[in-house]
Amino acid sequence: MQNDGRARLSSHWVPTGGIARAAVKEGEDSHSLLIRAGFLRQAYSGVFHLLPFGVRVQEKIERLVDRSMSEVDYVSKALPNSRCRPYHQKTFGKDPEDLQVVTLRLVHSHGGVLCAQIANRQLFYFRDRKNTKYMLSPTHEEEITSLVGSIVQSYKDLPIRLYQICGSLSAVNNTVLLTDEIKARKYRDEPRPRQGLLRTREFLMKDLYTFDLTRRQALGTYDEVRNAYAHFFDAFKIPYLVAEADSGSMGGNLSHEYHFLTPKGEDTIISCSNCQYVANQELAQSRETLIRVEEPNLVPRREWSWHHNWQPETNFNSTLEGERIPIDSAELTGIATWTGVTQDRRSLVIAYYPDISAPKESTGAKSGSENTVNLHAIKAIVEQLDTGIENPFEDWVQALVPIFKEGKSVATPPRIVRLFDYRVQKAVHDASSCLPHIPSNIIESLDTLSIKQMQIVDIAADPITFDQLNLLRVKNDDPCPKCSTGRLKAERAVELGHMFFLGSRYSKALQVCVAIDSQPGLDRVSSDTGSETLRSADSDLEHSVEEKGHALLQMGCHGIGISRMIAAVADTLADSKGLNWPRVIAPFEVVIVPSKGLEDAAAEIYDRIVASSSGRRSSMEPGSILRDTRVVDVILDDREKNMGWKLGDADLIGYPVIVVVGQTWKSEQKCEVQCRRLGLRTKVTPDNLADFVDCLLKQL
């Protein structure tokens, strides 16, 4: 092992190979490639060790995030791994101990760490010796909002932009000693970890939190972050999509997602063939003409009561006999249902929609799938819908027990809300035979609790626009809602970044506000002297109800999945020979592979490339930070292996550029330069090598 200041593979621990490639076909899984190439190893289900090259890739992504955030003058901070659970109870209205709990032992813990599911979050939580409740943070909205609220007192302290990179995986350093990086980790008790780093139980993220006085200022900040994110993703030189998205349980009404297209993705992105329309399938719409409610017997909303002596219909599909309703050449032969529950567990939501996939002999209503139902459309009608619950019916029934069994008084009585897709309007119209239908399992549960009467709310159209409801997700070849000629295309994608405009979602729950002048409608402006004042003009302050003369902070949160970025990039660029990193995050940008006896010539080539890139950097103007003019990251493969093995290993690891010092050097004093991503293999003289390599890297 030499120590001459040059980066050498003999001084790095890169345990490539050692894992049989038996039965590996051309489409080898990228997670398998990351393991075989020596980037990571699995420690437990959903928990991974990052090996030295994996750490280098992760650190380069972190530095790229830092550069992107510095462009908009955002500052870094650090928040604790754990937080007190009362914060979560204030914002979500539930304490984990009120829910069904599963015991789980966490590595290195001295006590049992418990996990519970709240909304769509999987949480680890525990108590200290004083019985104080804590949880391992999957996210930090409550913590950062509370922190800012305890410090910021006046509008003059705003705006505030804070970010952190938190949640490191276990790391291994270059001395081959297993260690843990000391960073704030993020945890989620993922029920089914899968696809390597794409779905794990502990993970690394970049979190940015912004605080502004008014909604308009907060939306301006949102646009600034979008520009910074564009610079970040552009640096990878990999096509990506920015999609309109549903905010889900995070709250707010403005959200965008950043995706790489890959068959491994768990999201479906809808894009137009003609214009720039891109949206997550949950939010996507098509250009369909919905019929307004004009029939006198069809009302957009109707309330009635179910009584315990009612008998269910024997054939729910009977109203569909006769004239069939064609949908994309498929006949409507049945009605499917989707069931959800509101956040307060008071309302059970049942959506009725056409089962266009049912066989022709199928009759009656059957349970539907979230792959078919548009949850955003349902949430537009039922705003308090909790979209992250796995067993909504069981949760609703459990909430009924203290009300009907124990006689607990509640302000909002339980009810069933039923939504009807416009394609089943014939069934809705024939109210006498169809509307009374309630699924039998619900009837049985009501009887078990001795419930004699239940309020039913039927909704057949939007109560504001009177448009009938479209509850199905957009499909391939649907017409685009933004242009007249485009057709929509659905593609699988992996989500890597998400932006949310939260408004006062958290600041209102935690009463985080600042003092303002007494008059309403104030906005923060700069005077000619540079001082800042408030003015009463087209402002949109949200005043605190509890504290007069105070305004609630307008908040945004913006995340990038650092650890899953490693897996997504690997999957996007890998080919049959191995990984294929973009130069911006490659463990090393150039590897020099000499044949036996040419080690000195390889060292000279190494020095030429490094010296040339150092000279370009020193000639830059002071303060200039250009990604393509930094010192090139080069490494020598000086291991005692044969040439064929080392070249195969270089392809497996995925260096952007491979410089071979072999037979052509002996015969022509030239190096062979290979770039698999550009499909290039050519001979280059030493004098031209540095400039040639630099030209290649600028394309990668």
Side-chain angles (χ1 to χ4, degrees):
M1 182 181 297
Q2 298 187 42
N3 187 13
D4 56 5
R6 300 184 182 97
R8 296 176 178 271
L9 277 172
S10 61
S11 62
H12 285 71
W13 188 37
V14 189
T16 56
I19 299 176
R21 196 184 173 183
V24 171
K25 299 180 180 179
E26 183 175 347
E28 180 179 7
D29 183 84
S30 60
H31 177 60
S32 172
L33 287 173
L34 285 169
I35 293 175
R36 288 206 305 117
F39 285 83
L40 56 87
R41 291 291 190 274
Q42 180 168 314
Y44 316 98
S45 176
V47 181
F48 293 89
H49 298 298
L50 279 187
L51 305 183
F53 270 25
V55 172
R56 288 184 68 88
V57 172
Q58 176 179 290
E59 290 177 343
K60 287 189 175 185
I61 298 175
E62 293 176 30
R63 288 198 293 271
L64 185 59
V65 167
D66 289 336
R67 285 201 294 268
S68 300
M69 293 297 98
S70 68
E71 293 175 0
V72 283
D73 295 328
Y74 293 171
V75 295
S76 181
K77 42 80 182 171
L79 295 174
N81 292 15
S82 58
R83 68 169 186 253
C84 285
R85 299 207 315 258
Y87 287 149
H88 196 285
Q89 191 171 2
K90 287 182 180 179
T91 51
F92 284 92
K94 285 279 185 179
D95 188 292
E97 287 193 343
D98 295 335
L99 304 176
Q100 185 176 1
V101 172
V102 179
T103 303
L104 182 70
R105 180 73 62 178
L106 192 65
V107 183
H108 303 312
S109 66
H110 298 289
V113 177
L114 305 179
C115 68
Q117 179 178 329
I118 297 179
N120 61 352
R121 305 175 184 214
Q122 299 288 334
L123 306 177
F124 291 103
Y125 67 88
F126 61 96
R127 293 172 181 260
D128 66 8
R129 66 186 65 191
K130 297 180 181 180
N131 208 35
T132 304
K133 301 176 182 180
Y134 292 92
M135 59 176 64
L136 298 179
S137 295
T139 185
H140 285 98
E141 283 76 21
E142 293 91 351
E143 195 72 36
I144 188 63
T145 306
S146 177
L147 174 65
V148 170
S150 68
I151 297 174
V152 176
Q153 302 298 323
S154 170
Y155 71 89
K156 295 180 181 179
D157 297 327
L158 300 174
I160 294 175
R161 289 92 170 85
L162 301 170
Y163 82 95
Q164 67 175 355
I165 295 177
C166 56
S168 172
L169 303 176
S170 301
V172 183
N173 65 14
N174 288 345
T175 61
V176 199
L177 175 65
L178 289 175
T179 63
D180 281 342
E181 260 191 330
I182 307 302
K183 287 188 178 181
R185 302 183 180 190
K186 283 200 168 186
Y187 301 90
R188 182 172 291 122
D189 185 36
E190 179 63 45
R192 191 168 64 89
R194 56 197 179 276
Q195 300 189 36
L197 298 179
L198 287 179
R199 184 69 69 175
T200 61
R201 285 181 166 173
E202 62 175 34
F203 51 95
L204 177 67
M205 280 195 67
K206 186 282 301 178
D207 287 329
L208 166 66
Y209 300 99
T210 66
F211 298 86
D212 288 277
L213 180 62
T214 70
R215 178 183 174 87
R216 182 169 60 84
Q217 292 169 346
L219 291 175
T221 298
Y222 190 94
D223 289 337
E224 288 181 9
V225 178
R226 285 194 66 178
N227 291 333
Y229 271 35
H231 294 160
F232 173 81
F233 283 98
D234 287 345
F236 290 89
K237 293 184 171 65
I238 297 175
Y240 65 94
L241 294 177
V242 183
E244 298 175 11
D246 183 21
S247 296
S249 62
M250 289 294 291
N253 54 11
L254 177 62
S255 178
H256 286 86
E257 295 173 344
Y258 292 76
H259 294 266
F260 282 171
L261 294 176
T262 168
K264 276 190 173 183
E266 297 184 341
D267 288 320
T268 300
I269 299 303
I270 305 297
S271 59
C272 177
S273 61
N274 182 61
C275 69
Q276 301 300 313
Y277 178 71
V278 181
N280 188 294
Q281 190 179 49
E282 294 177 350
L283 194 68
Q285 298 177 336
S286 62
R287 192 180 70 255
E288 291 186 293
T289 303
L290 299 183
I291 306 171
R292 289 185 176 273
V293 178
E294 297 176 350
E295 303 171 27
N297 296 327
L298 187 60
V299 294
R301 177 187 174 98
R302 187 177 88 160
E303 297 187 16
W304 58 286
S305 293
W306 168 87
H307 297 277
H308 73 284
N309 58 355
W310 175 84
Q311 296 297 321
E313 281 289 326
T314 57
N315 183 8
F316 183 40
N317 195 47
S318 61
T319 59
L320 297 176
E321 294 178 353
E323 183 181 355
R324 300 284 184 173
I325 304 176
I327 303 177
D328 293 337
S329 75
E331 287 188 338
L332 176 62
T333 57
I335 295 180
T337 62
W338 176 90
T339 304
V341 68
T342 53
Q343 295 173 8
D344 61 5
R345 305 298 185 265
R346 296 286 185 266
S347 299
L348 183 71
V349 180
I350 307 175
Y352 295 85
Y353 61 94
D355 177 25
I356 61 176
S357 62
K360 291 188 177 183
E361 63 272 12
S362 172
T363 59
K366 74 171 191 175
S367 177
S369 166
E370 290 188 11
N371 294 326
T372 303
V373 173
N374 186 341
L375 296 185
H376 181 78
I378 297 177
K379 195 171 182 179
I381 305 299
V382 185
E383 294 183 357
Q384 297 302 313
L385 181 71
D386 194 336
T387 58
I389 295 299
E390 294 182 359
N391 300 302
F393 175 67
E394 287 79 357
D395 277 21
W396 181 70
V397 171
Q398 186 178 358
L400 297 182
V401 173
I403 300 174
F404 291 96
K405 286 287 189 181
E406 303 169 10
K408 181 180 178 181
S409 177
V410 292
T412 305
R415 63 179 184 171
I416 297 175
V417 178
R418 305 194 301 172
L419 309 179
F420 296 88
D421 184 274
Y422 80 97
R423 300 169 183 86
V424 297
Q425 286 307 316
K426 179 174 174 53
V428 177
H429 185 274
D430 295 336
S432 59
S433 61
C434 184
L435 276 181
H437 175 81
I438 301 291
S440 59
N441 61 330
I442 297 179
I443 301 294
E444 293 171 0
S445 297
L446 296 179
D447 287 341
T448 301
L449 294 173
S450 300
I451 299 175
K452 305 301 182 183
Q453 186 172 335
M454 176 65 62
Q455 181 187 17
I456 309 292
V457 178
D458 290 326
I459 301 177
D462 188 296
I464 298 177
T465 65
F466 286 87
D467 287 336
Q468 295 180 21
L469 304 183
N470 178 10
L471 302 181
L472 297 186
R473 288 187 173 185
V474 170
K475 307 181 301 301
N476 270 322
D477 206 41
D478 278 355
C480 175
K482 299 294 185 180
C483 67
S484 58
T485 60
R487 312 298 293 186
L488 298 180
K489 180 181 180 181
E491 299 175 279
R492 302 297 290 177
V494 58
E495 178 188 341
L496 299 170
H498 206 148
M499 300 175 56
F500 299 91
F501 171 65
L502 300 175
S504 60
R505 166 73 171 83
Y506 292 87
S507 58
K508 186 175 183 179
L510 298 172
Q511 275 304 295
V512 176
C513 50
V514 294
I516 58 174
D517 289 354
S518 58
Q519 63 266 36
L522 300 176
D523 198 9
R524 189 166 159 275
V525 295
S526 298
S527 65
D528 295 336
T529 61
S531 62
E532 292 183 324
T533 59
L534 291 176
R535 70 178 180 186
S536 178
D538 68 345
S539 177
D540 48 358
L541 289 172
E542 184 172 349
H543 293 269
S544 172
V545 175
E546 298 185 11
E547 294 190 50
K548 301 300 181 182
H550 288 70
L552 295 170
L553 299 189
Q554 300 296 307
M555 186 177 171
C557 72
H558 316 274
I560 292 176
I562 304 295
S563 51
R564 67 172 15 217
M565 180 74 73
I566 298 174
V569 172
D571 183 69
T572 302
L573 297 181
D575 59 21
S576 59
K577 291 187 175 181
L579 301 168
N580 218 337
W581 298 103
R583 64 90 56 100
V584 73
I585 64 167
F588 288 92
E589 297 166 282
V590 180
V591 62
I592 300 174
V593 184
S595 61
K596 191 171 183 178
L598 295 178
E599 291 81 4
D600 291 340
E604 179 184 345
I605 295 298
Y606 178 103
D607 294 339
R608 281 175 177 262
I609 295 174
V610 172
S612 177
S613 62
S614 299
R616 282 191 296 271
R617 184 181 180 93
S618 63
S619 65
M620 294 165 53
E621 296 182 3
S624 177
I625 305 176
L626 298 176
R627 296 181 180 88
D628 291 337
T629 54
R630 66 183 185 276
V631 176
V632 175
D633 210 358
V634 190
I635 193 167
L636 278 168
D637 189 349
D638 59 340
R639 295 172 294 180
E640 295 294 329
K641 299 284 186 179
N642 64 61
M643 192 67 158
W645 187 94
K646 290 196 286 188
L647 288 176
D649 192 64
D651 282 335
L652 175 63
I653 291 173
Y655 303 101
V657 175
I658 301 173
V659 177
V660 181
V661 184
Q663 292 299 323
T664 56
W665 181 268
K666 294 178 180 179
S667 60
E668 305 176 40
Q669 287 292 294
K670 292 182 179 180
C671 301
E672 182 179 273
V673 179
Q674 301 177 9
C675 180
R676 206 164 80 246
R677 191 173 170 191
L678 298 177
L680 180 142
R681 183 192 297 259
T682 188
K683 301 174 183 178
V684 182
T685 62
D687 292 339
N688 297 326
L689 181 63
D691 289 338
F692 186 78
V693 168
D694 181 66
C695 181
L696 291 180
L697 290 175
K698 288 180 178 179
Q699 303 175 59
L700 302 173

